[in-house]
Amino acid sequence: MTPQNWAEHTKVGKSLAEKLTVTELISQLMHNSKGIKRLNIKPYVWWNEALHGVARAGIATVFPQAICLAASFSQQLVFEVAETISTEARAKFNESQNNKDYGIYKGLTMWSPNINIYRDPRWGRGQETYGEDPYLTGILGSAFITGLQGNNPEYIKTAACAKHFAVHSGPEENRHSFNAAASKKDLFETYLFAFKKAVKEARVCGIMGAYNRVNGEACCASETLIKKILRDSWGFDGYFVSDCGALPDIVCHHRLAKNPLKGAAMALNAGCDLECGKLYRLLYLSYKMHYIKQETLLQSASRLLAIRSSLGMFDNSCPFNNISPLQNATSEHENLSVKAAEQGIVMLENNGILPLKSNSQKILIVGYNAENDLAYLGNYFGTPKQFCKITQAVCDRNADTSYVQGYSYNLKENRALHQQALEQAQNNDVIIFCSGLDCSFEGEQAGELLKGGGGMLGEQGDRQTLSLPDVQKQLLEELFELKKKIIILNFSGGCIDLRDCKKHADAVLQCWYPGAMGGKAIANILFGAVSPCGKLPVTFYNSVDDLPDFEDYSMTNRTYRYFSGEVQYPFGYGLTYTEFVLSHCEISENELQCKVKNIGGMDCIETLQLYMTCPETDYANPIRSLIKIERFHLGAGEEKTICIHLKDSDFYSVNECGDTVYLSGNYNLYLTDGQSIRCNAGSYVNKKKSVIIEKCPI
């Protein structure tokens, strides 16, 4: 949240900006902002990353990747992780300031979280998001923002920045020139929902514009997105920053401006306060050519300096200045990372083999990903103080454990590794196979550096298929033929075709990219120290053949809300080591009340998901939509009464004109825990006439 005295910081920002010359004003609008000694404004680099830990700034706690945090379905956990990240960022900032080190990635403006909708599993950056559902993304993104920014009444701990605004989820290959065509319904129902929540409820400090166009307008120079929606309709009073290198796209790729001077002016005039890049170096010439006014420069600089003021950069009384470097990457923080991974890992299959008993079987761990750093780190990561991978963690619990790599993407090496794994498997009781991907297979636009990694990566970071790499599939097929007990640990940022594993394996865990301490979390689940409790924040489709074209941004037949085909595993699915039963469920005017009992033998976290279906209309609404989550701990044999509070706004939907509407009629409710509870929970009735709650602002 922005502090209660935000108005005072805006005054400071404006007062400082009014003392600057035109050249000095422009110097503040670039991510590498210059210092101005006469006003005691120090140099500052705005570009800092905190997706799942302070990234690219040396030692830091590397938490599970964002998609793994999303699978916890826990606002509290995401808040705790973000709050810890902000502490580590402050620790690094304070040390750097003391050393007069004003370099990149050592600041307090964190360009996180990524709250784009993971609409297509091919998108390489989907791992950075909170999944495919707008409601889940909205509440988790807001929890992360609140955790980063803190609740101090006078200062912000670190300044969050929600990205990428807007309608941005691949393809990576042509993101610099792509035009995302989205209907008003899809825009406000799906793509902008979480951003609105971030602005109006979490009071996010910054918004980052995307590379692409939306309905013909460049996101970083869009009057529609920045002025009409973000500022005029939602009342956003923070700063807007371009994605890095996005502004030259306005001229070179989108071809919306005839030259760089006009391109820079177009972005600034539309409301892009800060550029990550170099085009704003030309703003002085744009000013001289009368493409921009000094008042516009003053407005943007005022916003940026207000943010810096709220971070305590212009006085010595900020309490966060006392955070010591010793508070970075502590054992307490690493324990939180383990907890986060435990709660995000999703058990997809288990025929009873899990949990394992310690020191009671011979275990062979097979797979490059068991020891592959990138399979734990995902992308946008810091340097771990220590690693705990699966081999070490299992050995700590089961002495008779060995490891073989099993496969290689170097086909000359692969055959020998393959044979070694088959031979050793004969002499073991349980095979733990570590399958999946890493950020050399899926990630951000990578150019030649990672192009074609493992034979799976698309030209620029996206996946072309949902299949496992061929070398993994071939080895798995032969291991299955041995009729050994096999547990699959799959590492990936999204859905993988695991249908063969589902048929033949004894257990399957979706581990995502579980962070530097992820091995410990996985072992804790394998050996029953904790029960798995994660739920899928994305649909696991069978094949890309079931999906629309990657470049089609219509939500028709996308995500659980609109997809009508068969799937491997549905959104919200996840098994535990226990079983929950619903003994009572009733709905009153503004509350759903139910009783849930843990009838198994293990304590566990339970996650109730409440979905609604709209009354019939003459336009397509979601098949069902998640509207509430209740997450709580139940001991073995324990029963709790759970109250889910309901209000009219939980049932608002969006019509084809982009208006927010409250429809007359019955909203059918469905309650599930993604495992054993599946219940038609009744109806929420609106007896009034249908009404438009909020007109579309565009």
PDB file of all heavy atoms in Angstrom, residues 136-163:
ATOM      1  N   LEU A 136      -7.686 -15.407  -9.050  1.00  0.00           N
ATOM      2  CA  LEU A 136      -6.519 -15.893  -8.321  1.00  0.00           C
ATOM      3  C   LEU A 136      -5.325 -14.972  -8.551  1.00  0.00           C
ATOM      4  O   LEU A 136      -4.597 -14.617  -7.613  1.00  0.00           O
ATOM      5  CB  LEU A 136      -6.181 -17.323  -8.752  1.00  0.00           C
ATOM      6  CG  LEU A 136      -5.000 -17.983  -8.027  1.00  0.00           C
ATOM      7  CD1 LEU A 136      -5.309 -18.175  -6.551  1.00  0.00           C
ATOM      8  CD2 LEU A 136      -4.641 -19.325  -8.666  1.00  0.00           C
ATOM      9  N   THR A 137      -5.108 -14.588  -9.802  1.00  0.00           N
ATOM     10  CA  THR A 137      -4.012 -13.673 -10.116  1.00  0.00           C
ATOM     11  C   THR A 137      -4.192 -12.358  -9.382  1.00  0.00           C
ATOM     12  O   THR A 137      -3.226 -11.790  -8.845  1.00  0.00           O
ATOM     13  CB  THR A 137      -3.942 -13.424 -11.635  1.00  0.00           C
ATOM     14  OG1 THR A 137      -3.706 -14.667 -12.309  1.00  0.00           O
ATOM     15  CG2 THR A 137      -2.838 -12.443 -11.989  1.00  0.00           C
ATOM     16  N   GLY A 138      -5.425 -11.875  -9.323  1.00  0.00           N
ATOM     17  CA  GLY A 138      -5.695 -10.603  -8.662  1.00  0.00           C
ATOM     18  C   GLY A 138      -5.392 -10.624  -7.176  1.00  0.00           C
ATOM     19  O   GLY A 138      -4.740  -9.716  -6.646  1.00  0.00           O
ATOM     20  N   ILE A 139      -5.841 -11.664  -6.474  1.00  0.00           N
ATOM     21  CA  ILE A 139      -5.639 -11.679  -5.019  1.00  0.00           C
ATOM     22  C   ILE A 139      -4.188 -11.995  -4.657  1.00  0.00           C
ATOM     23  O   ILE A 139      -3.647 -11.439  -3.698  1.00  0.00           O
ATOM     24  CB  ILE A 139      -6.606 -12.645  -4.305  1.00  0.00           C
ATOM     25  CG1 ILE A 139      -6.407 -14.095  -4.744  1.00  0.00           C
ATOM     26  CG2 ILE A 139      -8.048 -12.205  -4.494  1.00  0.00           C
ATOM     27  CD1 ILE A 139      -7.201 -15.095  -3.908  1.00  0.00           C
ATOM     28  N   LEU A 140      -3.533 -12.856  -5.439  1.00  0.00           N
ATOM     29  CA  LEU A 140      -2.135 -13.176  -5.135  1.00  0.00           C
ATOM     30  C   LEU A 140      -1.216 -12.036  -5.549  1.00  0.00           C
ATOM     31  O   LEU A 140      -0.256 -11.709  -4.835  1.00  0.00           O
ATOM     32  CB  LEU A 140      -1.720 -14.476  -5.829  1.00  0.00           C
ATOM     33  CG  LEU A 140      -2.459 -15.746  -5.390  1.00  0.00           C
ATOM     34  CD1 LEU A 140      -1.847 -16.980  -6.054  1.00  0.00           C
ATOM     35  CD2 LEU A 140      -2.448 -15.906  -3.873  1.00  0.00           C
ATOM     36  N   GLY A 141      -1.502 -11.431  -6.703  1.00  0.00           N
ATOM     37  CA  GLY A 141      -0.703 -10.280  -7.115  1.00  0.00           C
ATOM     38  C   GLY A 141      -0.802  -9.149  -6.115  1.00  0.00           C
ATOM     39  O   GLY A 141       0.202  -8.514  -5.757  1.00  0.00           O
ATOM     40  N   SER A 142      -2.001  -8.884  -5.619  1.00  0.00           N
ATOM     41  CA  SER A 142      -2.191  -7.829  -4.625  1.00  0.00           C
ATOM     42  C   SER A 142      -1.498  -8.170  -3.313  1.00  0.00           C
ATOM     43  O   SER A 142      -0.945  -7.284  -2.643  1.00  0.00           O
ATOM     44  CB  SER A 142      -3.690  -7.598  -4.391  1.00  0.00           C
ATOM     45  OG  SER A 142      -4.284  -7.036  -5.544  1.00  0.00           O
ATOM     46  N   ALA A 143      -1.513  -9.446  -2.929  1.00  0.00           N
ATOM     47  CA  ALA A 143      -0.806  -9.868  -1.714  1.00  0.00           C
ATOM     48  C   ALA A 143       0.696  -9.647  -1.861  1.00  0.00           C
ATOM     49  O   ALA A 143       1.369  -9.197  -0.918  1.00  0.00           O
ATOM     50  CB  ALA A 143      -1.101 -11.339  -1.423  1.00  0.00           C
ATOM     51  N   PHE A 144       1.234  -9.937  -3.046  1.00  0.00           N
ATOM     52  CA  PHE A 144       2.662  -9.739  -3.289  1.00  0.00           C
ATOM     53  C   PHE A 144       3.005  -8.252  -3.241  1.00  0.00           C
ATOM     54  O   PHE A 144       4.008  -7.845  -2.635  1.00  0.00           O
ATOM     55  CB  PHE A 144       3.032 -10.337  -4.648  1.00  0.00           C
ATOM     56  CG  PHE A 144       4.514 -10.470  -4.887  1.00  0.00           C
ATOM     57  CD1 PHE A 144       5.186 -11.625  -4.523  1.00  0.00           C
ATOM     58  CD2 PHE A 144       5.239  -9.445  -5.478  1.00  0.00           C
ATOM     59  CE1 PHE A 144       6.548 -11.760  -4.743  1.00  0.00           C
ATOM     60  CE2 PHE A 144       6.604  -9.568  -5.707  1.00  0.00           C
ATOM     61  CZ  PHE A 144       7.258 -10.732  -5.336  1.00  0.00           C
ATOM     62  N   ILE A 145       2.175  -7.439  -3.865  1.00  0.00           N
ATOM     63  CA  ILE A 145       2.393  -5.983  -3.866  1.00  0.00           C
ATOM     64  C   ILE A 145       2.376  -5.442  -2.441  1.00  0.00           C
ATOM     65  O   ILE A 145       3.253  -4.666  -2.032  1.00  0.00           O
ATOM     66  CB  ILE A 145       1.320  -5.303  -4.728  1.00  0.00           C
ATOM     67  CG1 ILE A 145       1.546  -5.621  -6.207  1.00  0.00           C
ATOM     68  CG2 ILE A 145       1.320  -3.791  -4.505  1.00  0.00           C
ATOM     69  CD1 ILE A 145       0.344  -5.346  -7.090  1.00  0.00           C
ATOM     70  N   THR A 146       1.378  -5.846  -1.673  1.00  0.00           N
ATOM     71  CA  THR A 146       1.253  -5.381  -0.294  1.00  0.00           C
ATOM     72  C   THR A 146       2.446  -5.818   0.539  1.00  0.00           C
ATOM     73  O   THR A 146       2.955  -5.057   1.376  1.00  0.00           O
ATOM     74  CB  THR A 146      -0.050  -5.901   0.328  1.00  0.00           C
ATOM     75  OG1 THR A 146      -1.149  -5.531  -0.507  1.00  0.00           O
ATOM     76  CG2 THR A 146      -0.271  -5.326   1.709  1.00  0.00           C
ATOM     77  N   GLY A 147       2.916  -7.045   0.306  1.00  0.00           N
ATOM     78  CA  GLY A 147       4.092  -7.527   1.022  1.00  0.00           C
ATOM     79  C   GLY A 147       5.336  -6.735   0.692  1.00  0.00           C
ATOM     80  O   GLY A 147       6.150  -6.425   1.577  1.00  0.00           O
ATOM     81  N   LEU A 148       5.520  -6.399  -0.570  1.00  0.00           N
ATOM     82  CA  LEU A 148       6.686  -5.600  -0.969  1.00  0.00           C
ATOM     83  C   LEU A 148       6.615  -4.186  -0.399  1.00  0.00           C
ATOM     84  O   LEU A 148       7.615  -3.648   0.103  1.00  0.00           O
ATOM     85  CB  LEU A 148       6.785  -5.514  -2.496  1.00  0.00           C
ATOM     86  CG  LEU A 148       7.329  -6.713  -3.271  1.00  0.00           C
ATOM     87  CD1 LEU A 148       7.423  -6.370  -4.757  1.00  0.00           C
ATOM     88  CD2 LEU A 148       8.713  -7.148  -2.771  1.00  0.00           C
ATOM     89  N   GLN A 149       5.453  -3.555  -0.478  1.00  0.00           N
ATOM     90  CA  GLN A 149       5.350  -2.146  -0.138  1.00  0.00           C
ATOM     91  C   GLN A 149       5.187  -1.888   1.354  1.00  0.00           C
ATOM     92  O   GLN A 149       5.557  -0.823   1.848  1.00  0.00           O
ATOM     93  CB  GLN A 149       4.203  -1.507  -0.928  1.00  0.00           C
ATOM     94  CG  GLN A 149       4.483  -1.535  -2.425  1.00  0.00           C
ATOM     95  CD  GLN A 149       3.475  -0.810  -3.283  1.00  0.00           C
ATOM     96  OE1 GLN A 149       3.683  -0.665  -4.464  1.00  0.00           O
ATOM     97  NE2 GLN A 149       2.376  -0.340  -2.723  1.00  0.00           N
ATOM     98  N   GLY A 150       4.657  -2.868   2.090  1.00  0.00           N
ATOM     99  CA  GLY A 150       4.527  -2.725   3.529  1.00  0.00           C
ATOM    100  C   GLY A 150       3.331  -1.869   3.929  1.00  0.00           C
ATOM    101  O   GLY A 150       2.585  -1.368   3.090  1.00  0.00           O
ATOM    102  N   ASN A 151       3.164  -1.690   5.240  1.00  0.00           N
ATOM    103  CA  ASN A 151       2.020  -0.926   5.748  1.00  0.00           C
ATOM    104  C   ASN A 151       2.448   0.205   6.670  1.00  0.00           C
ATOM    105  O   ASN A 151       1.685   0.668   7.507  1.00  0.00           O
ATOM    106  CB  ASN A 151       1.043  -1.855   6.474  1.00  0.00           C
ATOM    107  CG  ASN A 151       1.707  -2.610   7.617  1.00  0.00           C
ATOM    108  OD1 ASN A 151       2.870  -2.376   7.939  1.00  0.00           O
ATOM    109  ND2 ASN A 151       0.969  -3.521   8.235  1.00  0.00           N
ATOM    110  N   ASN A 152       3.687   0.666   6.513  1.00  0.00           N
ATOM    111  CA  ASN A 152       4.142   1.802   7.307  1.00  0.00           C
ATOM    112  C   ASN A 152       3.358   3.051   6.890  1.00  0.00           C
ATOM    113  O   ASN A 152       3.182   3.305   5.701  1.00  0.00           O
ATOM    114  CB  ASN A 152       5.640   2.017   7.082  1.00  0.00           C
ATOM    115  CG  ASN A 152       6.215   3.085   7.994  1.00  0.00           C
ATOM    116  OD1 ASN A 152       6.044   4.272   7.746  1.00  0.00           O
ATOM    117  ND2 ASN A 152       6.899   2.669   9.040  1.00  0.00           N
ATOM    118  N   PRO A 153       2.873   3.842   7.841  1.00  0.00           N
ATOM    119  CA  PRO A 153       2.047   4.998   7.474  1.00  0.00           C
ATOM    120  C   PRO A 153       2.814   6.128   6.791  1.00  0.00           C
ATOM    121  O   PRO A 153       2.196   7.018   6.200  1.00  0.00           O
ATOM    122  CB  PRO A 153       1.478   5.457   8.822  1.00  0.00           C
ATOM    123  CG  PRO A 153       2.456   4.962   9.833  1.00  0.00           C
ATOM    124  CD  PRO A 153       2.979   3.664   9.298  1.00  0.00           C
ATOM    125  N   GLU A 154       4.152   6.094   6.869  1.00  0.00           N
ATOM    126  CA  GLU A 154       4.926   7.218   6.336  1.00  0.00           C
ATOM    127  C   GLU A 154       5.801   6.849   5.147  1.00  0.00           C
ATOM    128  O   GLU A 154       6.080   7.702   4.291  1.00  0.00           O
ATOM    129  CB  GLU A 154       5.798   7.819   7.439  1.00  0.00           C
ATOM    130  CG  GLU A 154       4.990   8.430   8.579  1.00  0.00           C
ATOM    131  CD  GLU A 154       5.856   9.080   9.633  1.00  0.00           C
ATOM    132  OE1 GLU A 154       7.098   9.112   9.451  1.00  0.00           O
ATOM    133  OE2 GLU A 154       5.307   9.537  10.645  1.00  0.00           O
ATOM    134  N   TYR A 155       6.261   5.602   5.076  1.00  0.00           N
ATOM    135  CA  TYR A 155       7.212   5.222   4.030  1.00  0.00           C
ATOM    136  C   TYR A 155       6.843   3.880   3.403  1.00  0.00           C
ATOM    137  O   TYR A 155       6.236   3.021   4.044  1.00  0.00           O
ATOM    138  CB  TYR A 155       8.635   5.127   4.598  1.00  0.00           C
ATOM    139  CG  TYR A 155       9.180   6.434   5.099  1.00  0.00           C
ATOM    140  CD1 TYR A 155       9.114   6.754   6.455  1.00  0.00           C
ATOM    141  CD2 TYR A 155       9.757   7.350   4.228  1.00  0.00           C
ATOM    142  CE1 TYR A 155       9.611   7.958   6.930  1.00  0.00           C
ATOM    143  CE2 TYR A 155      10.261   8.556   4.687  1.00  0.00           C
ATOM    144  CZ  TYR A 155      10.183   8.858   6.043  1.00  0.00           C
ATOM    145  OH  TYR A 155      10.676  10.049   6.502  1.00  0.00           O
ATOM    146  N   ILE A 156       7.247   3.721   2.164  1.00  0.00           N
ATOM    147  CA  ILE A 156       7.113   2.444   1.470  1.00  0.00           C
ATOM    148  C   ILE A 156       8.404   1.656   1.685  1.00  0.00           C
ATOM    149  O   ILE A 156       9.502   2.206   1.601  1.00  0.00           O
ATOM    150  CB  ILE A 156       6.879   2.679  -0.036  1.00  0.00           C
ATOM    151  CG1 ILE A 156       5.541   3.386  -0.261  1.00  0.00           C
ATOM    152  CG2 ILE A 156       6.910   1.370  -0.811  1.00  0.00           C
ATOM    153  CD1 ILE A 156       5.383   3.937  -1.650  1.00  0.00           C
ATOM    154  N   LYS A 157       8.270   0.373   1.961  1.00  0.00           N
ATOM    155  CA  LYS A 157       9.460  -0.446   2.200  1.00  0.00           C
ATOM    156  C   LYS A 157      10.209  -0.688   0.893  1.00  0.00           C
ATOM    157  O   LYS A 157      11.404  -0.428   0.782  1.00  0.00           O
ATOM    158  CB  LYS A 157       9.048  -1.772   2.847  1.00  0.00           C
ATOM    159  CG  LYS A 157      10.218  -2.546   3.449  1.00  0.00           C
ATOM    160  CD  LYS A 157       9.695  -3.768   4.197  1.00  0.00           C
ATOM    161  CE  LYS A 157      10.826  -4.573   4.827  1.00  0.00           C
ATOM    162  NZ  LYS A 157      10.313  -5.820   5.450  1.00  0.00           N
ATOM    163  N   THR A 158       9.510  -1.207  -0.120  1.00  0.00           N
ATOM    164  CA  THR A 158      10.003  -1.222  -1.500  1.00  0.00           C
ATOM    165  C   THR A 158       8.797  -0.933  -2.389  1.00  0.00           C
ATOM    166  O   THR A 158       7.659  -1.176  -1.996  1.00  0.00           O
ATOM    167  CB  THR A 158      10.631  -2.576  -1.906  1.00  0.00           C
ATOM    168  OG1 THR A 158       9.646  -3.614  -1.766  1.00  0.00           O
ATOM    169  CG2 THR A 158      11.861  -2.907  -1.086  1.00  0.00           C
ATOM    170  N   ALA A 159       9.039  -0.420  -3.580  1.00  0.00           N
ATOM    171  CA  ALA A 159       7.949  -0.039  -4.471  1.00  0.00           C
ATOM    172  C   ALA A 159       7.714  -1.129  -5.505  1.00  0.00           C
ATOM    173  O   ALA A 159       8.581  -1.417  -6.323  1.00  0.00           O
ATOM    174  CB  ALA A 159       8.274   1.286  -5.164  1.00  0.00           C
ATOM    175  N   ALA A 160       6.545  -1.744  -5.450  1.00  0.00           N
ATOM    176  CA  ALA A 160       6.194  -2.791  -6.418  1.00  0.00           C
ATOM    177  C   ALA A 160       5.818  -2.161  -7.752  1.00  0.00           C
ATOM    178  O   ALA A 160       5.456  -0.983  -7.836  1.00  0.00           O
ATOM    179  CB  ALA A 160       5.037  -3.627  -5.884  1.00  0.00           C
ATOM    180  N   CYS A 161       5.890  -2.974  -8.802  1.00  0.00           N
ATOM    181  CA  CYS A 161       5.526  -2.534 -10.147  1.00  0.00           C
ATOM    182  C   CYS A 161       4.858  -3.703 -10.862  1.00  0.00           C
ATOM    183  O   CYS A 161       5.499  -4.716 -11.145  1.00  0.00           O
ATOM    184  CB  CYS A 161       6.765  -2.068 -10.916  1.00  0.00           C
ATOM    185  SG  CYS A 161       6.436  -1.553 -12.605  1.00  0.00           S
ATOM    186  N   ALA A 162       3.564  -3.578 -11.132  1.00  0.00           N
ATOM    187  CA  ALA A 162       2.818  -4.658 -11.784  1.00  0.00           C
ATOM    188  C   ALA A 162       3.069  -4.618 -13.294  1.00  0.00           C
ATOM    189  O   ALA A 162       3.032  -3.550 -13.907  1.00  0.00           O
ATOM    190  CB  ALA A 162       1.334  -4.517 -11.490  1.00  0.00           C
ATOM    191  N   LYS A 163       3.298  -5.780 -13.880  1.00  0.00           N
ATOM    192  CA  LYS A 163       3.611  -5.841 -15.315  1.00  0.00           C
ATOM    193  C   LYS A 163       2.955  -7.082 -15.923  1.00  0.00           C
ATOM    194  O   LYS A 163       2.499  -7.964 -15.193  1.00  0.00           O
ATOM    195  CB  LYS A 163       5.125  -5.857 -15.512  1.00  0.00           C
ATOM    196  CG  LYS A 163       5.851  -7.076 -14.897  1.00  0.00           C
ATOM    197  CD  LYS A 163       7.344  -6.928 -15.019  1.00  0.00           C
ATOM    198  CE  LYS A 163       8.057  -8.180 -14.510  1.00  0.00           C
ATOM    199  NZ  LYS A 163       9.526  -8.028 -14.506  1.00  0.00           N
TER     200      LYS A 163
END
